[in-house]
Amino acid sequence: MKRCFCVISRFIYLSTERNKGASLVSNVRHDHTRAAAAKTLSDFRWEESKSSDSQKWSRLEHNGPYFAPEYDPLPASVPFYYDGQLLKLSPATEEIATFYAKMLDHEYTSKEAFQNNFFTDWREEMTSEERKQIKTLSKCDFSHMHKHFLEKSEERKNMTKEEKQVLKEESSRLVEQYGFCVLDGHREKIGNFKLEPPGLFRGRGEHPKMGKLKKRIQPEHVAINCSQDAKIPEAPAGHRWKRVQHDNTVTWLASWLENIHGRPKYIMLNPSSKLKGEKDWQKYETARQLKVCVNAIRKQYKRDWTSREMKSRQRGVAIYFIDKLALRAGNEKDEESADTVGCCSLRVEHISLHRRLDGLEHVVEFDFLGKDSIRYYNKVPVEKQVFKNLKLFIKHKDPEDDLFDRITTVNLNKALNECMPGLTAKVFRTFNASTTLQDQLNKLTAEDMTVEEKILSYNRANRAVAILCNHQRAAPKTFEKSMQLLQEKIQKKKEQIEEAKRELKAAKKAHRDAPSDRCRKLVEKKEKLVQRLCEQLKKLQLQETDREENKVIALGTSKLNYLDPRITVAWCKKHNVPIEKIYNKTQRDKFTWAIHMTDESFQF
DNA sequence: CACGAGACTTGCCTGGACGAAC
DNA sequence: GTTCGTCCAGGCAAGTCTCGTG
């Protein structure tokens, strides 16, 4: 498998290198396409790939991370008052105050947890003098700071073109210096070369740590990873790195521990890199592998529904949910984070069982907060045996008890792995998402459609996946307004059509009454106008449908993470839709591998 | 097996660039 | 020229899963 990808990756490099003849590129592609076609799924050796996969590179060199600029103290003209008294804060204290002052408009500064966390952490950073004086948050007056930053941002908006140009050049110099690394002889883009600046932590949902201080990262906190023979990046003057290591079994260039949860964070490559692309390709191949054995797995979990062992029954139902509803695995979480769940961590309170609902039998009603505190709400008719089992699982339990108390993500994944090497809960999401896209595209695309209609079909297929995976977004702030505008446009267009039709009729009549070349030409002209207007109307109406259906659905996540790009590429080729209409520049870069290795016959 | 550390993927939001409409 | 709206890259939080250790 590994070897197979090497062919592809060599091709990608070839094709992205300048001054290479097009004929060479197409030759490579041709060869590869055949090689890939000849390769069947059973040829993949997962065990083998596992050992060889552990080495991620042989040579790695980079310039280290870019540190956030030092704090620039406020001008003396921006006062801070405590309890009505002017107070000059020390730079460190002032800096943290500005984090809060910048957020005053946000709803969450009104939350008690946010205020308490912020104030506790702020006081910890104060000088003892300041700590003695500043005892109550509500007595702090940040309003002048707040105003100062509003003005600053206004200033920034009103910069001249030239000033903006200067900034732009500065930032591209930064990218030039820090934004790339050299991995195995190839210059690769780094994903996030800038270290996160200090600020206030705002978790998602009801996060118990909201408002806590995210501290400034110092070089002494940062570990550097590069190859032994590489030039070690220089630490900022007067500083040294936490450590420099040469571990080629990992892909990160730099890492540090964030202070909120004490979890590691990393600087890694951009998705367009070979390293990431290879991994991505592997992911989809695993998902395609599941396609081959999913029937057997389904049979197995259905058998488990009637197992004598409670654990097996629970696992059978859990995998059924993961498969049917594309739920996430649902690892255990600690108390120090928002209360969200996935499949294995579902609690009794998250489901309601309805013997009969809306004319359907055995309906399970799900209502819980999933990843990022996004609500999952769904009413699903299930097999009778699943229903029976669920009743059994919740018997004698309290609402806050685990629904699946005998299983964990670890043993669930272990069981899955025994069915198919490499299989874990999340593979089902990839598999179901990509399968859905393929099915929907096949169903929704017709040859006689215009390109616009085909794109609408694609978006609908994409949307079906997003709904399956529960990818949501906040409705755009301007949604209502822009929708209304669009409707007015449509109305206007309709009126134009009426008008044009009347004119056409009149022209026809004139031509009938007194045929002439001039009259005939006028009729033709009017006919064309009507036709053109109708086409425009259709386009607008398509746009309206698309936008309405998309109001709270986020398509990006599935497009980027769940849909095998080869499905899209093949579809575009087959139906003559330019790939640029579906993938923007970033997406094309990320999916370069797929764009080059896929021909129109590919099916997931 | 439980646990925690570590590595890597997935996820939503936002600020600013850019183009269209006024 | 200004305003408005859309799109996208970047930001960073929050998941999943693996591995080593006792």
Side-chain angles (χ1 to χ4, degrees):
Chain A
M1 186 182 84
K2 189 87 180 167
R3 213 170 33 236
C4 179
F5 196 85
C6 286
V7 180
I8 304 153
S9 23
R10 207 167 58 231
F11 163 64
I12 292 170
Y13 282 127
L14 280 177
S15 64
T16 49
E17 264 172 43
R18 280 183 210 151
N19 309 325
K20 292 277 176 190
S23 59
L24 170 62
V25 171
S26 65
N27 274 342
V28 176
R29 180 171 83 182
H30 184 69
D31 285 344
H32 173 69
T33 311
R34 265 194 314 206
K39 195 123 190 139
T40 66
L41 282 169
S42 58
D43 285 338
F44 292 106
R45 300 256 193 303
W46 298 93
E47 300 84 345
E48 205 175 88
S49 76
K50 215 157 195 178
S51 57
S52 64
D53 266 357
S54 63
Q55 185 183 325
K56 306 290 171 40
W57 46 263
S58 336
R59 189 161 191 289
L60 173 62
E61 186 166 288
H62 57 91
N63 291 339
Y66 172 75
F67 285 86
E70 284 305 310
Y71 177 60
D72 183 18
L74 292 173
S77 59
V78 182
F80 171 77
Y81 294 100
Y82 182 75
D83 206 8
Q85 280 203 319
L86 181 69
L87 214 62
K88 175 74 189 148
L89 300 174
S90 66
T93 306
E94 185 188 90
E95 180 181 18
I96 299 165
T98 65
F99 299 154
Y100 194 80
K102 282 176 190 169
M103 296 175 146
L104 245 38
D105 286 337
H106 273 103
E107 191 214 335
Y108 45 75
T109 49
S110 66
K111 294 199 176 183
E112 209 182 310
F114 192 93
Q115 295 174 353
N116 290 341
N117 285 330
F118 162 71
F119 198 56
T120 307
D121 282 6
W122 188 30
R123 277 176 50 89
E124 238 161 71
E125 303 298 315
M126 288 177 185
T127 64
S128 52
E129 204 51 42
E130 287 166 335
R131 198 161 27 241
K132 256 183 243 159
Q133 284 182 292
I134 302 173
K135 294 217 153 115
T136 314
L137 180 64
S138 59
K139 289 183 180 171
C140 296
D141 178 4
F142 299 100
S143 64
H144 295 84
M145 289 187 189
H146 181 67
K147 192 161 148 269
H148 170 75
F149 289 116
L150 284 182
E151 286 164 6
K152 278 264 179 190
S153 95
E154 201 56 34
E155 263 173 47
R156 216 168 325 120
K157 267 185 217 149
N158 294 331
M159 278 190 304
T160 63
K161 262 211 163 95
E162 292 72 30
E163 289 170 316
K164 281 185 181 168
Q165 187 59 28
V166 171
L167 286 185
K168 213 174 161 185
E169 277 163 21
E170 213 155 294
S171 102
S172 60
R173 258 202 307 283
L174 221 58
V175 174
E176 215 30 60
Q177 192 183 348
Y178 294 100
F180 295 86
C181 67
V182 181
L183 191 142
D184 291 344
H186 295 285
R187 192 163 185 259
E188 298 273 28
K189 219 169 153 185
I190 298 171
N192 56 328
F193 62 87
K194 287 180 178 166
L195 289 176
E196 294 172 19
L200 302 184
F201 173 81
R202 169 66 180 131
R204 315 248 163 88
E206 288 303 312
H207 198 115
K209 296 199 171 189
M210 62 170 84
K212 280 183 71 62
L213 174 65
K214 244 177 77 171
K215 293 186 178 169
R216 182 177 289 275
I217 304 160
Q218 301 293 347
E220 284 72 12
H221 303 148
V222 178
I224 297 290
N225 194 39
C226 61
S227 56
Q228 197 94 47
D229 58 351
K231 187 178 143 293
I232 293 171
E234 245 173 75
H239 289 278
R240 42 188 314 169
W241 303 117
K242 175 181 175 186
R243 86 174 177 268
V244 176
Q245 61 171 52
H246 312 287
D247 181 356
N248 70 4
T249 67
V250 295
T251 66
W252 53 266
L253 317 189
S255 77
W256 70 96
L257 293 179
E258 52 93 9
N259 67 295
I260 303 290
H261 306 91
R263 301 177 90 212
K265 289 215 175 190
Y266 306 91
I267 287 183
M268 288 188 190
L269 295 189
N270 188 276
S272 62
S273 60
K274 178 197 167 199
L275 202 63
K276 294 284 189 189
E278 198 172 308
K279 204 64 192 302
D280 212 31
W281 176 74
Q282 244 177 64
K283 173 180 80 185
Y284 291 113
E285 284 307 307
T286 310
R288 292 176 85 200
Q289 178 96 336
L290 173 55
K291 195 182 131 126
V292 177
C293 57
V294 73
N295 284 333
I297 291 170
R298 286 174 177 158
K299 234 184 204 164
Q300 176 63 47
Y301 68 57
K302 284 179 184 175
R303 264 201 302 276
D304 284 341
W305 294 346
T306 52
S307 166
R308 276 191 308 276
E309 240 188 303
M310 187 58 131
K311 185 175 171 177
S312 299
R313 284 200 190 203
Q314 290 195 357
R315 200 178 50 221
V317 173
I319 297 175
Y320 167 75
F321 283 165
I322 287 167
D323 180 26
K324 185 183 171 82
L325 306 173
L327 298 190
R328 296 185 185 83
N331 284 317
E332 293 294 316
K333 296 181 70 183
D334 55 34
E335 312 281 275
E336 301 288 88
S337 55
D339 178 21
T340 61
V341 297
C343 185
C344 292
S345 48
L346 279 171
R347 298 191 296 262
V348 173
E349 58 192 332
H350 295 130
I351 63 164
S352 328
L353 302 176
H354 305 278
R355 177 74 186 73
R356 213 174 221 116
L357 185 71
D358 306 333
L360 296 165
E361 289 204 333
H362 305 123
V363 174
V364 185
E365 186 180 0
F366 292 84
D367 192 353
F368 61 90
L369 296 183
K371 182 177 178 181
D372 293 312
S373 293
I374 297 294
R375 185 178 179 206
Y376 183 94
Y377 182 79
N378 202 0
K379 287 185 265 192
V380 197
V382 299
E383 278 81 342
K384 192 174 174 188
Q385 190 56 43
V386 172
F387 196 82
K388 271 182 166 173
N389 275 325
L390 288 169
K391 279 201 148 170
L392 185 67
F393 301 161
I394 65 177
K395 213 170 180 177
H396 307 307
K397 279 188 193 168
D398 290 330
E400 61 274 18
D401 287 338
D402 284 340
L403 175 63
F404 301 117
D405 56 319
R406 305 292 175 91
I407 57 169
T408 65
T409 54
V410 174
N411 59 45
L412 183 136
N413 277 337
K414 198 171 269 171
L416 289 176
N417 199 262
E418 276 161 22
C419 299
M420 181 194 112
L423 185 60
T424 62
K426 92 187 180 87
V427 177
F428 277 90
R429 258 168 95 79
T430 313
F431 160 73
N432 275 315
S434 289
T435 305
T436 302
L437 180 76
Q438 184 77 73
D439 291 350
Q440 290 292 309
L441 284 180
N442 291 349
K443 208 181 292 172
L444 297 174
T445 330
E447 246 354 283
D448 57 357
M449 287 175 162
T450 63
V451 170
E452 278 79 22
E453 288 170 321
K454 285 176 186 168
I455 292 171
L456 179 68
S457 291
Y458 183 91
N459 285 339
R460 285 196 164 143
N462 192 167
R463 196 173 300 127
V465 175
I467 290 168
L468 172 74
C469 295
N470 200 38
H471 291 143
Q472 299 187 24
R473 64 166 180 175
K477 286 184 196 93
T478 53
F479 184 84
E480 295 303 334
K481 213 172 122 197
S482 75
M483 210 55 189
Q484 202 180 346
L485 229 59
L486 189 59
Q487 273 155 5
E488 279 165 21
K489 250 176 162 175
I490 288 172
Q491 193 52 40
K492 218 160 112 192
K493 193 66 69 185
K494 280 181 178 164
E495 283 160 18
Q496 281 174 358
I497 290 173
E498 287 312 306
E499 173 73 20
K501 277 185 177 167
R502 267 196 302 277
E503 285 169 14
L504 173 63
K505 218 171 170 182
K508 273 184 176 166
K509 186 169 184 302
H511 185 51
R512 250 198 329 273
D513 293 349
S516 73
D517 254 13
R518 216 180 114 256
C519 281
R520 190 176 47 78
K521 274 192 180 146
L522 187 68
V523 169
E524 279 170 13
K525 200 177 137 196
K526 289 297 169 192
E527 271 172 346
K528 272 193 185 139
L529 177 68
V530 170
Q531 201 188 347
R532 197 171 62 234
L533 287 171
C534 283
E535 274 165 20
Q536 286 171 349
L537 175 67
K538 208 167 152 192
K539 218 166 161 176
L540 286 172
Q541 284 170 329
L542 281 181
Q543 211 181 13
E544 185 192 17
T545 314
D546 206 30
R547 206 183 291 178
E548 182 67 52
E549 290 175 2
N550 239 7
K551 186 175 176 183
V552 291
I553 311 288
L555 301 185
T557 301
S558 49
K559 208 171 181 179
L560 232 45
N561 300 300
Y562 288 105
L563 301 176
D564 188 331
R566 291 170 294 181
I567 301 169
T568 300
V569 174
W571 179 84
C572 280
K573 286 186 178 163
K574 184 168 173 202
H575 298 284
N576 290 316
V577 177
I579 192 84
E580 298 80 21
K581 299 265 183 192
I582 304 291
Y583 286 149
N584 67 34
K585 180 75 173 64
T586 321
Q587 293 161 345
R588 291 199 300 278
D589 283 347
K590 169 165 179 172
F591 298 134
T592 307
W593 60 270
I595 291 171
H596 287 128
M597 77 188 273
T598 312
D599 66 35
E600 64 165 69
S601 66
F602 178 88
Q603 293 270 320
F604 180 76

